Amino acid sequence: MTIEELKAYGADTDAGLQRCMNNENFYLRLVKMIPGDDNFRKLKEALEGGNLDAAFEAAHALKGSSGNLALTPIYAPVNEMTDLLRARTQTDYTEGLKAVLDARDRLQAICGE
């Protein structure tokens, strides 16, 4: 995985690197951890089970980690979901969940996992 691949993915690598004190190895190591974050599974299961409280917790955690690393393709849809879940909005989250999981899968492919 390279910075160029992450840029092509849609990550704001300049912002992510800045948050990591411009330490590219540290940034890439943190990014590689994201696809394996258990909060993706928790979010999916909570939404499928209608547990908006648990879904909010998982979405909020993903928002923080993806936001700190400037992984926009994950951050943007999970941010929208977090706002809706914070208000415990009863809606169909299928499209948002698909966007989050697809972005995770694309990142996983870049990471070579």
Side-chain angles (χ1 to χ4, degrees):
M1 172 178 51
T2 66
I3 294 297
E4 291 73 28
E5 289 174 314
L6 289 173
K7 283 182 182 181
Y9 166 72
D12 182 352
T13 56
D14 292 337
L17 280 166
Q18 185 177 12
R19 289 187 189 105
C20 291
M21 301 165 289
N22 291 313
N23 184 330
E24 185 175 322
N25 289 332
F26 181 57
Y27 176 69
L28 293 175
R29 195 167 2 132
L30 292 175
V31 168
K32 280 188 174 191
M33 295 170 68
I34 296 298
D37 188 326
D38 199 39
N39 283 299
F40 289 106
R41 179 192 57 80
K42 290 178 182 178
L43 177 61
K44 183 178 186 293
E45 290 177 359
L47 288 174
E48 288 173 348
N51 185 341
L52 298 185
D53 291 330
F56 170 74
E57 293 299 323
H60 192 260
L62 290 170
K63 176 184 171 184
S65 59
S66 64
N68 282 331
L69 296 174
L71 299 172
T72 309
I74 295 172
Y75 177 80
V78 85
N79 182 46
E80 290 179 32
M81 291 177 71
T82 301
D83 290 343
L84 292 170
L85 289 165
R86 179 179 282 116
R88 303 309 187 257
T89 304
Q90 294 289 335
T91 189
D92 183 358
Y93 289 95
T94 305
E95 187 177 312
L97 179 62
K98 181 178 181 342
V100 169
L101 296 178
D102 286 351
R104 178 209 51 198
D105 293 347
R106 289 192 333 268
L107 180 60
Q108 189 170 19
I110 292 167
C111 291
E113 307 273 314

